[in-house]
Amino acid sequence: MRKRFKEFLNNTERVDLKIIIALIFLCLFGCMMVYSASSYVCATSADFNYDDMNLLKKQLLFIGLGVIAIVVLVHLDYHIFYWMGWGVFVINVILILLLKTPLGVEANGAVRWLDLIVFQLHVGETSKLLLILFLAFIMAQYGKPTKDWKNVFKIWLYAGVLALLILRISSNLSSCLIMLMITYGMTFIWSNTQKFHLVVGAAAAVLVSTLLIYMYYNLPDPETANQMGYQAKRILGWMDPEKYKDVFSDQILQSLYAVGSGGLFGKGLGKSMQKLGKIPEPQNDMIFAIICEELGIFGGMIVLILLGYLILQIVRVAISAKDLYGAMIATGVALHLSFQTIVNVAVSLNVFPNTGVSLPFISYGGSALLIMFSEIGLVLSVRRYRMLRDFEKEVKQKRKGIR
């Protein structure tokens, strides 16, 4: 069984084409759902010029820019980011610190975007990609998997600095947590310190569980809770949405109503009731709930299967990569897409507190979409240069045969 599973993972025949096909289907599905989720609000609001296709047009624009990013990165040797080395870390820090300048854009009490005139850059999403490149660089520097937990801890410290900066400056808890999860996952896969990882992971789980249990048995009244910060509100709303539905947890209840009312095959495309103002901005982080309401559990499973298929192909690129740096880039991208998908779906089902995390290639968004397209471009670059090296070897062998 193990041998067959390894053979299954090692099957990299036309993996680049499989990635592109999966991406096309995801984007088509995403555009369909963005239009379905946003058309009513766009058609009835002056903010969108009463154009029901307003957000769909923007989504298509960013998909076009994403395709350009893929084409550029595929033909760019990904090792250029390796030679930048610590520069990637410095760029990441600078981007986060720029949020404190006039370039920072505030929305809903948090500064998470940089106004670059042409478009607004979501720093949290950009930091995830830069973190993956930096971690891959550090791991490649060691040359081989480390057996020393101290080396792993050093890498965690580097990532922890970036994650805490994101949390402190932009109040972006979701990006902070996903960055830590990516770091944990990459070091777990790369190093030979799995026991250390499991001990730390178990200790963190016990600590968080203890804290949550304490909070659950000491929930404040709605009036007191409403005076707290929005991150605390999201956690409290997750613990007891019914108790706080009149102040701040109605969104998650509406999401659960949407998922529950969809049943197995849904109400039909475009027939969601929750998107008619009950779920704020349903085309963003709550789009999975709209998918389940309109297309049912069946529609939700289609999305997850497509994303799972894409992630599987990225894993295959990581396995077949010719160098550690490329392998860890592909591994980081696979982990990022996996964690982002899990968190988004878990939020829609109230398994996880509301974090504002988008569903990869499905949710509406500019920066997030561009960053994820860029990640796919890097993965395809790893695959392309691996294939080029194989081709060069074949040519050399043929030349030797002729001689």
Side-chain angles (χ1 to χ4, degrees):
M1 183 65 73
R2 182 181 295 180
K3 184 179 179 181
R4 289 183 180 179
F5 183 67
K6 285 184 177 180
E7 290 175 353
F8 174 72
L9 286 178
N10 288 326
N11 179 15
T12 59
E13 184 179 355
R14 301 305 300 165
V15 68
D16 49 347
L17 182 60
K18 293 175 183 177
I19 288 174
I20 293 171
I21 291 173
L23 190 60
I24 290 172
F25 276 103
L26 280 167
C27 289
L28 288 174
F29 195 100
C31 286
M32 178 180 73
M33 292 312 306
V34 165
Y35 175 72
S36 179
S38 66
S39 58
Y40 173 79
V41 174
C42 289
T44 57
S45 173
D47 294 337
F48 302 105
N49 299 318
Y50 302 105
D51 180 4
D52 63 333
M53 299 184 69
N54 187 285
L55 293 183
L56 174 61
K57 292 174 183 176
K58 292 180 180 178
Q59 185 81 341
L60 289 170
L61 173 61
F62 280 106
I63 288 175
L65 293 173
V67 171
I68 294 173
I70 285 180
V71 172
V72 171
L73 288 169
V74 164
H75 292 86
L76 182 71
D77 188 344
Y78 62 94
H79 292 97
I80 189 172
F81 298 105
Y82 176 82
W83 297 117
M84 290 174 65
W86 282 88
V88 174
F89 182 87
V90 173
I91 291 171
N92 207 347
V93 172
I94 291 173
L95 285 175
I96 298 171
L97 294 178
L98 283 175
L99 291 171
K100 299 291 286 184
T101 70
L103 291 175
V105 178
E106 183 177 348
N108 299 321
V111 182
R112 298 182 180 179
W113 291 266
L114 289 177
D115 187 359
L116 302 181
I117 301 177
V118 180
F119 72 99
Q120 292 183 353
L121 180 69
H122 195 296
V123 175
E125 297 297 333
T126 309
S127 289
K128 295 170 191 173
L129 172 56
L130 294 176
L131 174 67
I132 291 170
L133 292 172
F134 174 69
L135 292 177
F137 161 73
I138 291 294
M139 292 170 186
Q141 285 278 292
Y142 282 102
K144 60 181 180 180
T146 184
K147 296 180 180 179
D148 190 347
W149 66 268
K150 294 178 182 177
N151 293 329
V152 172
F153 190 73
K154 286 178 184 177
I155 295 175
W156 287 359
L157 286 178
Y158 297 142
V161 168
L162 295 172
L164 289 176
L165 277 175
I166 282 286
L167 179 62
R168 181 69 181 85
I169 294 178
S170 69
S171 299
N172 194 340
L173 179 60
S174 59
S175 290
C176 171
L177 291 175
I178 289 179
M179 288 170 74
L180 293 176
M181 291 164 72
I182 291 172
T183 304
Y184 184 89
M186 288 182 70
T187 54
F188 183 88
I189 292 170
W190 163 70
S191 71
N192 288 320
T193 59
Q194 280 71 31
K195 289 183 180 179
F196 170 68
H197 279 79
L198 293 174
V199 169
V200 173
V206 170
L207 181 62
V208 172
S209 299
T210 302
L211 179 61
L212 291 176
I213 291 172
Y214 174 80
M215 291 178 64
Y216 181 78
Y217 285 103
N218 293 274
L219 291 175
D221 59 81
E223 291 74 18
T224 303
N226 201 31
Q227 303 301 316
M228 297 181 176
Y230 79 95
Q231 291 174 350
K233 290 179 181 178
R234 286 182 169 183
I235 295 174
L236 293 174
W238 164 65
M239 289 182 166
D240 195 343
E242 286 286 349
K243 183 173 184 176
Y244 302 108
K245 64 180 180 180
D246 295 328
V247 281
F248 52 73
S249 67
D250 187 57
Q251 183 184 24
I252 190 60
L253 284 175
Q254 296 301 329
S255 174
L256 292 174
Y257 296 155
V259 174
S261 63
L264 186 59
F265 295 107
K267 298 177 178 178
L269 187 63
K271 296 182 179 180
S272 166
M273 296 300 294
Q274 306 307 118
K275 69 183 181 183
L276 307 180
K278 295 182 179 181
I279 297 179
E281 300 185 10
Q283 70 278 359
N284 292 335
D285 50 298
M286 287 295 180
I287 197 167
F288 187 77
I290 304 302
I291 292 172
C292 290
E293 184 181 8
E294 295 189 350
L295 303 177
I297 296 174
F298 179 76
M301 288 302 298
I302 289 176
V303 175
L304 296 181
I305 289 170
L306 283 172
L307 284 166
Y309 182 79
L310 175 63
I311 292 166
L312 172 62
Q313 303 311 318
I314 295 173
V315 169
R316 285 174 168 168
V317 172
I319 291 172
S320 65
K322 290 299 184 181
D323 65 327
L324 181 60
Y325 182 62
M328 294 318 300
I329 287 177
T331 299
V333 172
L335 288 171
H336 177 205
L337 295 179
S338 299
F339 290 141
Q340 193 110 346
T341 300
I342 291 169
V343 171
N344 179 275
V345 173
V347 166
S348 298
L349 302 177
N350 200 35
V351 177
F352 199 81
N354 193 345
T355 58
V357 170
S358 62
L359 186 61
F361 305 109
I362 303 295
S363 296
Y364 170 78
S367 294
L369 204 56
L370 275 176
I371 292 301
M372 289 179 188
F373 267 98
S374 298
E375 290 181 348
I376 297 298
L378 285 169
V379 170
L380 291 176
S381 177
V382 172
R383 172 65 177 171
R384 178 173 183 267
Y385 278 89
R386 183 259 187 191
M387 292 174 68
L388 284 176
R389 290 192 183 96
D390 287 348
F391 176 73
E392 289 170 358
K393 286 182 180 179
E394 289 179 10
V395 171
K396 288 179 181 179
Q397 288 173 357
K398 287 181 180 179
R399 285 175 180 172
K400 288 180 179 178
I402 293 172
R403 290 175 184 175

